[in-house]
Amino acid sequence: MNFQNLKIETADRIAVVTLNRPEALNALNRDLLSELSTFFDQAASDDNIRVVILTGSGEKSFVAGADIKEFSHFSQKEGEALSADGQQQVFNKIENFSKPVIAAVNGFALGGGLELAMASHIRIASDNAKLGLPEVTLGLIPGYGGTQRLPRLVGRGRAAQMIFTAEMISAQRAFEIGLVNEVVAQPELLDRAKAIASKISKNSSVAISKAIKAINASGTKDGFGVEIQSFGELFEEKDFKEGVCAFLEKRKPEFK
Ligand code: DAK
């Protein structure tokens, strides 16, 4: 995979995807979003990838939002089209990706950057990270799912405060309100994300893909139904037979 705005390193079935526009603090422009979409399409069927880690280049910024210079002249039509397109092609694609996506938030995660982290399944932050949704300072609201995902993670009241005030919060505060799962020292961030990814990669990938589907259905009227159906389907999978045999034979399972 050859990209201009992404660096991809795959080892031990973990793909580390580094968003790489350091001159703009890794702001999301159309090219970068399009490359992300392509990466996830390709990674979906790549057996060498079991977990994806998203991070930003450098130590200062994960993603400082959508590229303000690029969208400064958009009309209503362009704004709506790009919001729908971006949500479908990147943010929803990540949330519904069949393999776990971990955001390693290594600095500023603002606007579209925080929305990217929130679309990921797991968020780990470095202790220097700053997170916020500053859209209203630009006369906008979050347009890549932020008004929907933030309340689910931190509750409506806290989401409203973050969106209305546009204030950035520290990594520690983000941990306290459940916006990130863990905070680690900056130099340890990638190793910690990889350690989590490594644990995940040893478990049944087919079971994890069903878990993603069921978790994503939580809070919808179909949630319990999706869990029941996914649970049942897993009994027909080789991984179930291997997992149970391994337990009974007192050995570690080997999932293919
Ligand atoms: N876009 C473009 N360039 C950016 C950028 C951004 N979001 N953020 C930073 N940069 C650039 C700066 O312009 C600067 O470039 P030069 O001027 O040197 O060429 C370089 O990165 C370094 O930034 P600073 O010099 O500003 O660095 P500081 O340490 O002083 O400040 C900062 C860091 C992160 C606090 C500051 O850069 C900042 O406030 N950045 C903007 C944060 C922000 O407001 N982001 C946008 C949030 S709104 C849409 C859907 C969604 C959205 C939009 C449209 N459609 C569907 C159409 C989402 C919108 C957002 O994300």
Side-chain angles (χ1 to χ4, degrees), residues 34 53 63 71 82 85 87 98 128 178 183 188 205 207 225 227 230 237 254:
S34 158
I53 296 173
V63 173
F71 70 71
L82 255 136
D85 203 38
Q87 288 192 17
S98 60
N128 66 320
V183 181
E188 286 154 29
S205 55
E227 183 184 90
S230 303
E237 294 288 342
E254 277 181 42

Side-chain angles (χ1 to χ4, degrees), residues 3-189:
F3 297 110
Q4 303 302 311
N5 301 282
L6 304 177
K7 281 196 288 183
I8 319 280
E9 287 171 276
T10 305
D12 303 326
R13 297 194 163 184
I14 300 165
V16 177
V17 179
T18 305
L19 284 72
N20 190 30
R21 294 189 67 223
E23 70 286 357
L25 301 184
N26 308 319
L28 304 171
N29 63 5
R30 276 190 235 219
D31 288 347
L32 193 155
L33 287 171
S34 158
E35 289 184 4
L36 264 182
S37 171
T38 304
F39 165 78
F40 278 101
D41 287 343
Q42 294 176 351
S45 56
D46 186 338
D47 288 340
N48 273 322
I49 298 178
R50 284 201 168 196
V51 184
V52 175
I53 296 173
L54 291 180
T55 194
S57 70
E59 293 185 353
K60 184 172 172 180
S61 181
F62 174 67
V63 173
D67 191 314
I68 299 173
K69 291 165 194 163
E70 190 178 68
F71 70 71
S72 58
H73 302 300
F74 281 179
S75 64
Q76 176 179 347
K77 262 203 167 139
E78 286 176 295
E80 274 178 21
L82 255 136
S83 175
D85 203 38
Q87 288 192 17
Q88 214 47 48
Q89 290 304 317
V90 179
F91 296 78
N92 293 354
K93 195 180 277 182
I94 290 173
E95 186 170 65
N96 296 318
F97 196 57
S98 60
K99 307 172 189 189
V101 181
I102 301 174
V105 179
N106 57 309
F108 289 115
L110 303 176
L114 180 53
E115 291 174 300
L116 191 65
M118 289 194 290
S120 305
H121 305 116
I122 293 173
R123 285 157 293 285
I124 308 293
S126 58
D127 50 7
N128 66 320
K130 292 236 171 352
L131 305 90
L133 292 175
E135 282 85 349
V136 295
T137 66
L138 300 168
L140 288 172
I141 62 168
Y144 287 137
T147 62
Q148 305 305 299
R149 292 193 178 98
L150 187 61
R152 284 182 211 150
L153 286 165
V154 305
R156 281 187 190 217
R158 288 186 176 124
Q161 188 172 338
M162 277 184 72
I163 292 170
F164 299 167
T165 64
E167 274 175 5
M168 292 185 214
I169 60 171
S170 66
Q172 184 54 36
R173 181 66 187 146
F175 171 70
E176 286 161 11
I177 64 175
L179 184 49
V180 301
N181 296 11
E182 294 180 24
V183 181
V184 296
Q186 162 81 253
E188 286 154 29
L189 179 66

